[in-house]
């Protein structure tokens, strides 16, 4: 595997900005200063502009097909949502080697997305590599059961167990997914 | 989040210019490098980062105290950069990674070899699909944790882990292919 420092260095040496922070700050602060002036515009001006915009959009929707949405990183998220952290499920506390039931969610898959299915067991630490188990031979059984029984690792620690991939059944492609956080307890003496 | 940052944000919410400027200067470097690596053009990256700071500062009143600023702000930078790039792509402006001048080398021969290796790695990073490249940039440029990347991209932590893992695997293969053979894992 390529070391982390090497990746950081490759990115750093190829992205050295030669611009001026002062000049950019001047632009940002100038734009921020302009904001109050805009808010002092008369109310009717904003209302009229909104009405014209709605009419224009309505006319455009009658005559032209809708343009495709802008591509984004993932689905667009309103800014307000950032104030809510993504909750991580509480880990299930288990003994080493305990049997676990991972309940699968299934939905129709898209052509060209075929992969796996696989079981990944990620140790919960930054940059850790997973243990990967191919489940291709058990694909049909997974669809029928709707779950996968797995054994927890023996080594104490926190893990994220993931089942993901696609399964084909009579020309229909299904995408399957399951995720479970576990903490394997150290054996008590 | 550090106490100093919380205090800065509180002051910035009250409209203190000095606090806003300090936040700007703290986050500028990683923001502009990230925007450049997404847009592959410095002028576009500057525009995107300028817009991102303005939007972030205008939305600061809705930002919840105690939350880390960086993942929230990085999300804005990524979206601004992607939108600006996509807008310009549609009018067919050329997008080329600009030549970087990393400065004079102390030992020209070994530095040239090292530089060539870094360039190959960089080239490999740029051939990655955005699905893998963006999490990689967030980790190595923005220095976000995997949990913060998940929060920034609104995807499960396992997906982040998986994409980073796949990205590193693909980089290894691409670099090996560019070098025309095996790679030295010991580096």
């Amino acid at each position: 595997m390529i070391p982390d420092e090497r990746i950081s260095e490759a990115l750093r040496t190829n992205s050295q900005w030669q611009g001026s922070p002062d000049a950019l700050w001047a632009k940002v602060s100038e734009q921020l200063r302009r904001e109050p002036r805009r808010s002092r515009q008369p109310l009717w001006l904003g209302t009229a502009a909104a009405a014209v915009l709605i009419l224009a959009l309505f006319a455009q929707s009658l005559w032209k097909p809708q343009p495709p949405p802008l591509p984004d990183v993932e689905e667009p998220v309103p800014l307000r949502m950032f104030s809510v952290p993504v909750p991580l499920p509480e880990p299930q506390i288990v003994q080493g080697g305990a049997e676990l039931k991972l309940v699968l969610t299934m939905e129709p898959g898209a052509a060209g997305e075929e992969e796996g299915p696989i079981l990944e067991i990620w140790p919960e630490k930054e940059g850790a590599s997973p243990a990967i188990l191919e489940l291709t031979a058990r694909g049909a059984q997974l669809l029928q059961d709707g779950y996968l029984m797995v054994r927890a690792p023996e080594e104490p620690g926190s893990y994220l167990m993931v089942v993901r991939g696609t399964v084909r059944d009579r020309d229909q492609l299904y995408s399957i997914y399951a995720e479970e956080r576990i903490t394997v307890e150290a054996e008590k003496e | 989040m550090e106490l100093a940052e919380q205090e800065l944000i509180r002051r910035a919410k009250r409209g203190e210019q000095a606090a806003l400027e300090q936040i700007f200067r703290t986050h500028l470097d990683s923001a502009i490098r990230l925007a450049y690596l997404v847009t592959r053009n410095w002028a576009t990256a500057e525009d995107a980062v300028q817009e991102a700071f303005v939007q972030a500062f205008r939305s600061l009143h809705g930002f919840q105290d105690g939350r880390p600023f960086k993942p929230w702000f990085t999300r804005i930078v990524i979206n601004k950069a992607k939108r600006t790039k996509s807008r310009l792509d549609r009018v067919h402006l050329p997008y080329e990674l600009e030549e970087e001048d990393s400065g004079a080398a102390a030992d020209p021969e070994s530095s040239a070899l090292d530089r060539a290796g870094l360039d190959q790695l960089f080239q490999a990073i740029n051939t990655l699909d955005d699905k893998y490249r963006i999490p990689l940039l967030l980790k190595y440029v923005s220095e976000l944790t995997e949990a913060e990347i998940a929060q920034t991209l609104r995807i499960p932590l396992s997906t982040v882990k998986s994409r980073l893992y796949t990205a590193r695997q693909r980089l290894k293969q691409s670099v090996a292919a560019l070098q025309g053979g095996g790679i030295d894992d010991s580096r």
Side-chain angles (χ1 to χ4, degrees):
Chain A
M1 201 64 91
I2 298 166
D4 285 353
E5 304 75 43
R6 192 84 181 143
I7 299 174
S8 296
E9 198 183 348
L11 288 166
R12 190 173 49 248
T13 53
N14 283 286
S15 61
Q16 296 293 322
W17 185 47
Q18 305 294 324
S20 157
D22 292 338
L24 195 55
W25 170 245
K27 287 183 190 174
V28 170
S29 54
E30 169 60 26
Q31 233 177 313
L32 289 172
R33 264 197 300 275
R34 267 188 272 141
E35 188 184 25
R37 242 179 291 153
R38 228 183 347 204
S39 66
R40 284 199 297 269
Q41 285 169 346
L43 187 63
W44 62 265
L45 194 62
T47 313
V52 169
L53 185 66
I54 289 165
L55 276 174
L57 287 172
F58 179 68
Q60 193 188 27
S61 70
L62 287 179
W63 295 103
K64 287 182 182 173
Q66 292 292 317
L70 286 173
D72 215 330
V73 180
E74 295 293 334
E75 76 284 3
V77 178
L79 272 177
R80 203 172 291 277
M81 291 184 73
F82 283 103
S83 59
V84 182
V86 179
L88 283 175
E90 282 300 307
Q92 192 181 336
I93 296 166
V94 298
Q95 296 295 317
E99 219 176 16
L100 299 162
K101 185 178 185 178
L102 301 183
V103 178
L104 303 167
T105 55
M106 300 177 205
E107 50 189 53
E113 286 181 356
E114 288 187 59
E115 62 163 339
I118 53 172
L119 164 69
E120 296 170 327
I121 302 176
W122 296 90
E124 284 222 343
K125 52 186 176 193
E126 289 283 317
S129 298
I132 297 176
L133 179 68
E134 286 283 345
L135 301 171
T136 311
R138 296 158 69 179
Q141 191 65 43
L142 291 176
L143 275 187
Q144 194 183 324
D145 295 344
Y147 62 85
L148 174 71
M149 297 304 294
V150 294
R151 286 203 178 276
E154 295 286 349
E155 187 77 18
S158 293
Y159 300 88
L160 184 69
M161 307 181 84
V162 181
V163 178
R164 64 184 177 89
T166 54
V167 178
R168 187 168 281 284
D169 183 42
R170 279 172 295 209
D171 289 339
Q172 175 65 54
L173 190 68
Y174 295 93
S175 172
I176 63 171
Y177 191 81
E179 185 177 303
E180 183 76 51
R181 288 178 72 211
I182 60 164
T183 298
V184 176
E185 279 187 319
E187 267 185 51
K188 289 171 188 142
E189 307 228 338
Chain B
M1 184 167 66
E2 288 173 23
L3 280 175
E5 187 178 87
Q6 284 189 44
E7 177 55 26
L8 258 186
I9 288 173
R10 264 196 292 273
R11 285 170 47 207
K13 281 182 174 180
R14 293 197 296 262
E16 280 185 37
Q17 281 294 303
L20 289 170
E21 186 173 350
Q22 200 172 331
I23 294 172
F24 169 85
R25 290 186 189 277
T26 304
H27 295 279
L28 174 62
D29 184 62
S30 67
I32 199 131
R33 289 175 52 224
L34 177 65
Y36 168 68
L37 291 165
V38 172
T39 63
R40 306 176 187 205
N41 178 290
W42 280 118
T44 314
E46 285 183 20
D47 287 349
V49 167
Q50 182 184 334
E51 282 182 31
F53 273 115
V54 170
Q55 182 176 333
F57 289 157
R58 282 181 180 166
S59 317
L60 210 53
H61 58 273
F63 182 76
Q64 198 178 326
D65 287 340
R67 296 273 167 236
F69 180 80
K70 199 167 186 177
W72 178 72
F73 176 62
T74 303
R75 168 81 186 179
I76 301 175
V77 173
I78 287 266
N79 279 341
K80 291 286 179 193
K82 296 273 283 186
R83 280 170 207 275
T84 315
K85 180 178 185 297
S86 124
R87 204 162 55 220
L88 293 182
D89 277 349
R90 267 188 259 146
V91 291
H92 306 296
L93 284 188
Y95 265 103
E96 293 290 332
L97 276 168
E98 294 169 11
E99 286 293 321
E100 291 293 333
D101 177 13
S102 55
D107 174 358
E109 200 173 327
S110 64
S111 293
L113 276 173
D114 193 48
R115 174 72 199 182
L118 289 176
D119 285 348
Q120 280 179 334
L121 181 53
F122 185 61
Q123 200 180 328
I125 292 169
N126 282 309
T127 59
L128 288 174
D129 187 280
D130 269 1
K131 185 163 104 171
Y132 302 108
R133 203 167 69 94
I134 299 287
L136 202 77
L137 298 181
L138 294 179
K139 180 174 172 64
Y140 294 104
V141 177
S142 304
E143 295 178 350
L144 299 186
T145 63
E146 288 172 353
E148 287 172 336
I149 297 171
Q151 195 176 1
T152 302
L153 298 179
R154 306 286 298 178
I155 56 178
L157 179 61
S158 60
T159 307
V160 172
K161 283 176 178 289
S162 182
R163 286 184 186 177
L164 284 172
Y165 180 75
T166 307
R168 287 195 210 98
Q169 292 286 342
R170 291 190 181 177
L171 282 184
K172 185 178 164 185
Q173 289 161 1
S174 301
V175 170
L178 285 168
Q179 291 174 342
I183 62 166
D184 181 2
D185 264 2
S186 64
R187 295 199 66 168

